[in-house]
Amino acid sequence: MITDIQVDDHGRHRHFLTTEGLSAKAIGEILDTAESFISVGEREIKKVPLLRGKTIVNLFFEASTRTRTTFEIAGKRLSADIININTSVSATQKGESLLDTVRNLEAMHTDLFVVRHPVSGAADLIARSVPNHVHVVNAGDGRHAHPTQGLLDMFTIRRYKGGFANLKVAIVGDVLHSRVARSQIHALTALGTGEVRVIGPRSLLPFAVESLGAKSYTTMAEGLAGVDVIIMLRLQFERMSGALIPSAHEYFSLYGLTPERLALADPEAIVMHPGPMNRGLEIASEVADGPQSVILPQVTFGIAVRMAILARLAGAAGTETKSP
Amino acid sequence: MNIVISGGRIIDPSQGLDQVGSLFIHDDRLVGFEAPPGFSAERTIDARGLVVCPGLIDLRARLREPGLEHKATLESETRAAAAGGITTLCNPPDTTPPLDNPALAEWMIDRARQLGAAAVLPIGALTRGLSGTHLADMHALHTAGCVGVGNAYAAIKDTAVLRHALEYAAGLDLLVFLTPEDPWLGAHGIMHEGRVATRLGLAGIPASAETVALSRDLILIEQTGARVHFCGLSTAAGLALMAAAKERGLPVTADTPIHQLYLTEDDVGFFDSQCHVRPPLRTLQDREALRTAVAEGVIDAVCSDHQPHEEDAKRVPFSNSEPGIAGLETLLPLTLQLADLGILTLKDALARLTAGPAAILGRPEGTLRSGRSADVCIFDPNTSWTPEPASLRSRGRNSPFFGKPLRGQVILTLKNGHICYEKSAANKATTRDRAPG
């Protein structure tokens, strides 16, 4: 059986592929480093020399604005050279295989790949094929994982709520197709979150979602009661096949986050969304733009968290994690 | 040529035999356990410490020819089969083009015969082009030598077509091979719908994909009286349906691929494409139920479900990888291990590879009875070896069993009285040349 390869035999983080298996300590270190990078973005000269001379390739096989841009900014603020490659899977499938594409870029002395791919496991496959000194960061693979998003969400929660132990966190919507939800659930459980809930129609909750450590609910009334954090997920029509929900209208009437539903949660609850949002489909504009929304700060924090992860992997000495 | 295999532990499940003795062969025939009058051996094979059993029958092995010769050929795979102790194998009809015309079936049988290693029994197409809409010329296929008819992985979605196909086959007393997989429930899935698929974000194939298809098929079998063999059962719930159907006296049999008796969804780990198989690896509970079913005979036979691939077919993301394991050469040792694990006796384990499949197919092979063709497998039950890509004779480079020591090694294989594999000559990688002129 093949095993996790993110952490090497010396406990160093080689790749960042999933939040599964990360310790609370490792996550804490990344979030602490991210805190220290927040100020970099607020300075006149928004650069630190940690990755000077390193080459990062953003290899995106799937459209992305937010993730690709924040990775690019994160890399530049660390003084790395960044190359963006946007390509569609169909174009590469015609000729070159995924690994051939990667090998060619590797031959150009790339130090770190940031990979987004529509198929689960693509980043893992690449990480297993690159030489020892090359690092891979997963920027989203199929339905599997989006670990940097997962950690920026943890950063956001920690910023607004202080800690995790006494929190009730609800993840709402299309969990089935969501790599973000999986990365959040692993991180939240590692951090000892009081209660992790998923809410959605049964047809959009994965078969064995409770085995990940989340309690499942099919109604907002029950699921949102008293929660401290609400994370809304995008309805991913492009990944849906078959009859999963009757209509967008019915979905919003049952699972859309409206001011009335928000009132079911703790009065201090924060509302998050990994983006891009479908306003009026999973979230009402009043809520998205309302005082409890932290959706835009999430994006800002995303840069600092991605800087922390890039620096952890490719920074001069590599960062020790004693308990991976 | 007269051959005597002497001093081996002869295990022939078809006769309930397990004894130390000698086996005599005259030309292409077995002539018994005592030397016939005037018998003078031209070759004596010393089998002391070895097991002598009927040549194995593999119910499902894809040889990739015609159509996918970059993966494997009849030549490479029938020789790999011989190296695995297999002397007869059934090839499913999903070749390119599909096996729906008698000429192709005849060619395949003749080609295998010329090669002189394992014999190939093609399974003809049940529907033309495996389309699931028009019946194939089943009688012609049967006459050409097809051992039965089936539709491989291509489900027959239209229930009326399946009904008529079963009726027609029943009228000709043809064996029908069905793969129980609901085309809708299994449509987008890539592995078992369970904990691991949820973790990895891989689309699931629920256990109900098997039970829904099996239930439908069993009802139509009851209605039509067709003889049906179910390929590759994988779930505990499916086995319960199969046991009940047998109890009711339906003319049904079933097999499971040997890897299903060892691997589970957990072996997929972190996207191990070597564990991408169809039907998918299920849960530990399913695996235990399968082991019990093999022991109790609800599963009549185990097979290799051999699907050789080039390396690149697995060096892609899990969902894009091609399913299957190259299993011809690990079939015997893995089956022997069932006896080591105490799941069934060595004799019963061998029955699932010899008398069991022979009975399903209604074939004369799979026995050491006097007068039958001399298909014999001689193996060393105690020697361990470790399968590696380079050590296999198969062109397939795909197996989750690479690097894992297995006990039980084939020493010599006889097909129709010809030595088609001999371990001492193995380094020369020639199996055919050993056949006497």
Side-chain angles (χ1 to χ4, degrees), chain B residues 51-413:
Chain B
V51 172
V52 179
C53 71
L56 314 182
I57 302 174
D58 190 353
L59 286 177
R60 196 158 58 260
R62 284 174 169 80
L63 309 177
R64 304 304 192 193
E65 189 180 357
L68 295 170
E69 288 86 351
H70 65 286
K71 292 186 186 292
T73 61
L74 277 175
E75 180 167 1
S76 66
E77 302 316 287
T78 54
R79 287 180 183 174
I86 298 160
T87 51
T88 304
L89 52 82
C90 302
N91 188 63
D94 52 356
T95 48
T96 311
L99 244 164
D100 63 358
N101 82 73
L104 186 52
E106 280 168 9
W107 170 83
M108 194 175 266
I109 294 164
D110 287 348
R111 173 82 181 124
R113 192 175 290 144
Q114 284 163 20
L115 289 165
V120 174
L121 302 174
I123 297 167
L126 184 60
T127 60
R128 212 182 297 161
L130 305 176
S131 61
T133 52
H134 292 86
L135 303 192
D137 292 345
M138 296 182 212
H139 174 67
L141 286 164
H142 181 58
T143 307
C146 287
V147 73
V149 284
N151 232 46
Y153 283 130
I156 297 178
K157 297 178 181 176
D158 185 325
T159 331
V161 172
L162 180 60
R163 175 202 168 174
H164 294 314
L166 292 176
E167 283 171 342
Y168 191 83
L172 298 173
D173 195 29
L174 286 180
L175 178 63
V176 179
F177 293 77
L178 294 179
T179 306
E181 183 187 84
D182 182 84
W184 313 108
L185 288 168
H188 303 282
I190 202 76
M191 75 169 292
H192 174 65
E193 183 178 271
R195 277 183 306 115
V196 182
T198 294
R199 230 187 80 222
L200 298 178
L202 293 171
I205 302 171
S208 57
E210 179 167 299
T211 49
V212 165
L214 199 51
S215 303
R216 175 191 79 157
D217 296 351
L218 287 169
I219 288 166
L220 291 176
I221 290 163
E222 195 146 26
Q223 182 183 335
T224 60
R227 282 196 294 131
V228 171
H229 176 71
F230 285 101
C231 302
L233 292 193
S234 66
T235 67
L239 293 168
L241 289 169
M242 179 56 52
K246 286 187 162 184
E247 191 89 351
R248 288 209 306 281
L250 293 189
V252 290
T253 51
D255 70 55
T256 194
I258 187 70
H259 56 252
Q260 288 283 3
L261 299 173
Y262 289 97
L263 305 173
T264 67
E265 58 175 345
D266 290 313
D267 289 289
V268 174
F270 287 81
F271 302 103
D272 186 354
S273 59
Q274 298 294 352
C275 291
H276 177 198
V277 294
R278 183 175 171 190
L281 300 174
R282 303 282 186 185
T283 66
L284 189 61
Q285 290 75 21
D286 292 312
R287 191 193 74 179
E288 293 310 299
L290 280 166
R291 286 180 167 185
T292 306
V294 168
E296 291 174 350
V298 172
I299 296 284
D300 305 81
V302 295
C303 66
S304 71
D305 200 6
H306 179 67
Q307 300 187 36
H309 289 296
E310 73 283 16
E311 243 171 68
D312 283 349
K314 294 286 191 182
R315 286 180 57 79
V316 288
F318 191 92
S319 316
N320 300 140
S321 66
E322 295 184 54
I325 292 172
L328 289 172
E329 290 154 86
T330 47
L331 175 61
L332 177 66
L334 288 171
T335 306
L336 298 175
Q337 205 174 307
L338 297 175
D340 290 343
L341 292 168
I343 294 160
L344 69 185
T345 64
L346 179 58
K347 191 167 71 186
D348 286 345
L350 288 172
R352 302 294 179 266
L353 296 175
T354 56
I360 291 166
L361 301 173
R363 296 284 305 187
E365 294 93 347
T367 177
L368 296 177
R369 276 179 205 282
S370 202
R372 298 289 171 83
S373 61
D375 293 0
V376 183
C377 167
I378 303 173
F379 65 88
D380 179 341
N382 297 316
T383 301
S384 288
W385 62 290
T386 304
E388 297 293 350
S391 70
L392 294 191
R393 276 168 192 63
S394 168
R395 285 258 204 94
R397 288 292 172 267
N398 51 308
S399 171
F401 298 106
F402 285 145
K404 293 171 187 162
L406 294 173
R407 205 150 62 94
Q409 188 163 46
V410 176
I411 300 297
L412 189 142
T413 307

Side-chain angles (χ1 to χ4, degrees), chain A residues 8 13-15 106 111 127 129-136 313:
Chain A
D8 70 13
H13 238 122
R14 261 195 72 198
H15 306 293
E106 198 183 284
D111 298 293
S129 85
V130 294
N132 265 329
H133 61 276
V134 177
H135 308 279
V136 177
L313 298 183

Side-chain angles (χ1 to χ4, degrees), chain A residues 238-271:
Chain A
E238 74 276 16
R239 289 186 210 280
M240 284 190 197
S241 49
L244 290 169
I245 54 166
S247 68
H249 176 260
E250 174 145 328
Y251 181 81
F252 187 75
S253 75
L254 284 171
Y255 299 101
L257 188 62
T258 57
E260 298 73 43
R261 294 215 170 100
L262 179 56
L264 296 166
D266 183 87
E268 302 287 304
I270 55 170
V271 175

Side-chain angles (χ1 to χ4, degrees), chain A residues 19-59:
Chain A
T19 52
E20 184 186 0
L22 290 184
S23 64
K25 183 168 172 294
I27 296 174
E29 286 167 6
I30 294 169
L31 302 190
D32 291 344
T33 312
E35 278 296 346
S36 73
F37 283 140
I38 288 280
S39 62
V40 174
E42 291 159 358
R43 295 203 299 242
E44 186 75 18
I45 310 264
K46 300 182 175 62
K47 258 192 198 296
V48 288
L50 281 170
L51 296 188
R52 192 165 56 199
K54 302 271 184 185
T55 303
I56 297 177
V57 170
N58 273 342
L59 186 54

